[in-house]
Amino acid sequence: GAGVSQSPSNKVTEKGKDVELRCDPISGHTALYWYRQRLGQGLEFLIYFQGNSAPDKSGLPSDRFSAERTGESVSTLTIQRTQQEDSAVYLCASSLRRDQETQYFGPGTRLLVL
Amino acid sequence: GDSVTQMEGPVTLSEEAFLTINCTYTATGYPSLFWYVQYPGEGLQLLLKATKADDKGSNKGFEATYRKETTSFHLEKGSVQVSDSAVYFCALRFQAGTALIFGKGTTLSVSS
């Protein structure tokens, strides 16, 4: 595909359940970012992957959040024991290399925790 | 800490009106500045950017000038169209490869 894709587009879950969100970056993009956008708020940085380097996890809000990336392709963001405050749109972005200014965003996954 | 502040919306304009969306930032240093746009049902797209003081970014009739003295990066367009209706986000970043810091977004609604 031409752009960043994310799945699912919408996810409704019950409080306490685990969820997995997927991001497929643009082919060849070595840098991948996850952001969260809660209602009425700006985007918050969560985690950043660059090639085979250790990820920058400084934005993860709690140890219930984790993310993995397989090489320079797919990434999954996992939220364990979801809480209502986790409800948000989760956005993934990729860029061609570390020194690229432009990040290309996916359409997001809208998560609702009941 | 570093932050971005945008004017609160929604901004409602008639077609062909002049648009200004204010953006100011707080940062220790000289970041690159960006405007992103999110059209209904679509992902965020880079609209324009400026990487140093006095640079002007422009795209699709939109402009913004990096003003170091006022720490601002206001978005302007001389004549908006209905198709410009979207959410606009101002953002900063200190170096490529780091995360963007976003404002809360401003919703623009243009009617014919």
Side-chain angles (χ1 to χ4, degrees):
Chain A
V4 177
S5 61
Q6 293 184 245
S7 61
S9 54
N10 290 281
K11 175 72 176 178
V12 181
T13 191
E14 294 179 349
K15 178 181 172 181
K17 297 285 179 101
D18 297 352
V19 295
E20 264 193 12
L21 311 180
R22 176 187 170 108
C23 171
D24 283 90
I26 294 172
S27 178
H29 280 198
T30 62
L32 186 147
Y33 306 78
W34 282 99
Y35 294 87
R36 174 173 73 173
Q37 184 180 19
R38 288 188 282 190
L39 190 64
Q41 303 296 314
L43 280 76
E44 305 168 72
F45 164 71
L46 296 177
I47 188 169
Y48 161 59
F49 295 90
Q50 171 58 49
N52 295 319
S53 302
D56 176 356
K57 303 180 182 180
S58 60
L60 294 178
S62 78
D63 59 8
R64 295 187 296 103
F65 288 72
S66 62
E68 293 183 346
R69 187 179 185 194
T70 306
E72 294 182 351
S73 60
V74 171
S75 176
T76 55
L77 176 69
T78 302
I79 308 173
Q80 296 177 307
R81 305 180 304 281
T82 52
Q83 304 294 313
Q84 289 182 332
E85 63 263 27
D86 299 335
S87 298
V89 177
Y90 289 82
L91 290 164
C92 176
S94 70
S95 64
L96 183 59
R97 7 169 240 280
R98 179 183 176 86
D99 60 347
Q100 271 279 309
E101 285 282 5
T102 302
Q103 295 180 18
Y104 297 86
F105 283 80
T109 294
R110 188 174 299 275
L111 174 66
L112 178 61
V113 182
L114 300 176
Chain B
D2 304 322
S3 65
V4 175
T5 303
Q6 292 181 234
M7 62 186 291
E8 291 191 13
V11 174
T12 303
L13 295 173
S14 298
E15 209 165 22
E16 299 183 4
F18 184 86
L19 168 72
T20 300
I21 300 178
N22 290 338
C23 171
T24 57
Y25 66 91
T26 301
T28 51
Y30 302 105
S32 295
L33 301 174
F34 304 82
W35 277 101
Y36 277 81
V37 58
Q38 187 172 31
Y39 297 104
E42 298 183 18
L44 278 169
Q45 304 171 25
L46 178 65
L47 180 60
L48 54 84
K49 67 181 182 183
T51 58
K52 61 183 187 295
D54 300 325
D55 270 2
K56 178 185 284 187
S58 61
N59 186 25
K60 299 182 181 180
F62 291 88
E63 292 183 340
T65 301
Y66 190 137
R67 301 286 188 200
K68 185 176 68 173
E69 62 277 11
T70 54
T71 61
S72 65
F73 193 54
H74 304 321
L75 183 69
E76 296 182 336
K77 186 174 186 181
S79 176
V80 293
Q81 304 300 311
V82 172
S83 57
D84 294 327
S85 298
V87 183
Y88 292 81
F89 293 89
C90 187
L92 67 82
R93 188 171 66 188
F94 280 99
Q95 60 186 51
T98 61
L100 290 156
I101 298 172
F102 284 89
K104 292 185 178 181
T106 303
T107 300
L108 171 65
S109 178
V110 181
S111 58
S112 57

